[in-house]
Each structure stands twice: as C-alpha cells, then as structure tokens.
Amino acid sequence: MPQAPIIYLDAASTTPCSDEVLTDMHEFGQIAFGNPSSSHLLGRLAKSAIIESTSTLAALLGCRPNEIIFTSGATESNNIVVLGSVKSGQASNIVICPIDHKSTLAAAEELERRNIEVRRMRVNTCGRVDIDHLASLLDEHTALISISYVNSEIGTFQNLKDIKKILKQRTHILFHVDAAQALGKIPLNIKSLGVDCLSLSAHKIGGPKGIGALYVSQHAISRLNALTFGGGQSPLRSGTLPTQLIAGFGAAARLIQRQNHRESWNAACQRRSTILEIFNAHKISYLINTPKYKSVPHILNISIPGIRAETLISHLGKVCISSGSACNAHDLRPSHVIMGIGHDSDRAASSIRLSFTSDMDIDQIRNGVEIICRTVSTLRQLIHRGNNHD
Ligand SMILES: Cc1ncc(COP(=O)(O)O)c(C=O)c1O
C-alpha cells in the first residue's frame, strides 16, 4: 500500500532547504571548506561565499554590505539588540511588544533582572500596536523600541511607518524590527522602513537552521554593546563564520529575490481561503485569531472551541501543524499571543496555527485540512460520548 505523504502546514516554524541551497552548502562545507579568515586559497574561496551572500542580503534589503552581521539566527540577533542597547550605569528604559517572539521577551526580562525598566506597548485584538499609547511610553531615557514586523503566531503585520513617525523627534531611540516572519512575505527595504536594526532568520525562507542576520545601520552600530568577545570576525560578534550556512542563507535569499511578490501574495491568499472553505464545508465551528486585514496570508491561526490544540495535534498523524510558536513547544502554557490580544485561556489553549509557503501544492493543503476536519469531528464525538457516560 502506498504510504500517505507527510503534509507540512507549519512553514512559519521552519521550511525545508531547497536543492539550490543544499548544493551551495555542500560546496562550502566539503570542497571550499576553508576558514574564511585564512589567507590561503581555501580561505579565500570560503570568504568569497561570505562576500556573495552578504551582497545578496544587502541588495535584498537595500543597505550596505558592511551593515549586515551574520548571527546564529533571529534569536541571537534579537538578543544582541535588546541586551546590547542598554549601556551599564545609565538610567534607561526599553519598549517592547508583549506579543512578540520569546527571544525578545526573554531578553527584555533579563534586563528587568538587571534593574532596567521594560515598558510594554499596548496591542488591540488584531495584534496591532496602539501608536498613541506607544508614544506615551517614550521619554529621554528610552534606549530602544523593539517590535516584530509580522507576528509569528497570528500573522498580523505592524505599521512601521507610523512608529517611525513618532520617533522622528526622538533620534536617541534605537528602532529595532524583528523581521524573521516578514522576510519572503513582505518586501523589506531598509530605507523605506527607516529602522536602525533588523533581525532575520534563514530557515524561515528555505535556508538552513542556525544562521540568521542582523542589519545594523552604520550610525547605530556604536550604540550597541557586543555580547561575545574573541577574534572580532564581525562587528558586535566574534566566532568563525559558518561558511556553508552563510552560503545556504545567500542561496535562499537569491530565491526570494527572484520571486514575484504580488503573485506569491495572491497565491498565499488563495491557499488561506481554501483552508477556510474546507472548514466551512465540514461545518467545523472555529474562531479566527488572525485578523482578516493587516495580516500576511501565509499564516492562519484559529481556535476550535472545546478541542485542545495539543490533543488535536497528537491525533493528526502525518499532518504537521502547530499550536502557538514551535519555539515554545515544550511550554504548555496557553499562547501568550492569543492571551495578549485579549482572549481567554480556553481560546488560547484551543488555538492552532496553519502556515504554508505560497508555492505549497494546493491539493496537499486540501488533503491536510480534510484530515484536520475529520479528526476534529472524531474528537468531538469522543468528547460527546465521554460526557454522556459521566
Ligand atoms: C518572529 C520571530 N522571531 C525570532 C524567531 C527565532 O528565530 P531563530 O529560529 O532563527 O532563532 C522566530 C522563530 O520562530 C520568529 O518567528
């Protein structure tokens, strides 16, 4: 009997590496494997991969190559900015968004333990920041505003232009955007975004895990403190550069560069609508946590009342979806994002996230969602029978 394929609906968590990415990684992992800091031939070849990936990313973002720092991922990029933005001995505060990724939130909590004040923006039920409230949090001691462009759990995107406007007269504040979920979904141009720092992750766009980048504008670099010390291979960061991962990131970024943004956005919209049509056809009752507007179409978060997300996921066999962010998978507390936009713990505990790339086969999506709907119906019957036996 043919084996049922695995249906992967968790692209916001991570994506597979494409063949082009693997080919480049193989070359710089096995053939041109030198240390990019070495001056011999293999070192120079390795360095050429770093130069090429750097210029691809710089072209993608519209910034200078010397403003890109490779990191181990968006987690590290976020940590460098949050922890590095506060100078010791100075009275400062930073402002964060409470529904952001844990790598920002936990770094901010570490600052609180060091007696730095952390102020939290207010968000509405769509996950959008209240700009007037944000403005009211800022003062002459504010060192940083940090916010995710696209929320990883519900897909809401923020109006960065409005945030930039309130920073116009406050040039002492660093503006950091975590764009891990935006890269490949929304065009990112540093000049029009007007950010000082921007975090990226390769494995969200078909690149390898364990590599990311931090854009830091030339004028902002001196305002951040390094967290690691050593050979000084990069500004703010030491350590031998992982050439094969950087080559893989560069290859994935080239693929993003080639994509037609409008077409891939429309394709993702079509996939999101298909998912909801199937839920409706099966008469599954659900509550949508992803706002209809101001969200990327590649992420759909819904709550299925009465069915715990973890129970559903454990009954889905070869269909992969997530509850909240995979990075908190070991943390069974209800999602801080769903609670953070004002819903109760039941709604948060029953929230699932379906996420996909815009080129994912639509029939596979259909098959996966059919399985989800049938599993929900089965679980409902089991719960109903259990209740009747009580
Ligand atoms: C918005 C956001 N920021 C940061 C991260 C962490 O990225 P990485 O896995 O590259 O450390 C993620 C990953 O889920 C994310 O979605």
Side-chain angles (χ1 to χ4, degrees), residues 81-88 90 92 94 111 116 143 223 225:
V81 176
V82 172
L83 297 175
S85 64
V86 178
K87 305 257 183 239
S88 62
Q90 271 178 12
S92 310
I94 68 158
L111 284 185
I116 305 295
R223 292 161 64 184
N225 301 315

Side-chain angles (χ1 to χ4, degrees), residues 73-75 78 101 103 148 152 178 180-181 201 203-204 327:
T75 297
N78 291 345
H101 191 262
S103 53
S148 280
S152 54
D178 175 355
Q181 292 292 348
S201 173
H203 71 99
K204 311 287 184 187
C327 313

Side-chain angles (χ1 to χ4, degrees), residues 12-14 72-78 100-104 148-153 178-182 199-204 210-212 325-327 353:
S13 172
T14 196
S72 62
T75 297
E76 186 189 338
S77 302
N78 291 345
D100 275 1
H101 191 262
K102 287 281 167 79
S103 53
T104 297
S148 280
Y149 196 172
V150 172
N151 184 277
S152 54
E153 289 192 34
D178 175 355
Q181 292 292 348
S199 300
L200 300 173
S201 173
H203 71 99
K204 311 287 184 187
I211 184 78
S325 157
C327 313
R353 179 186 68 183

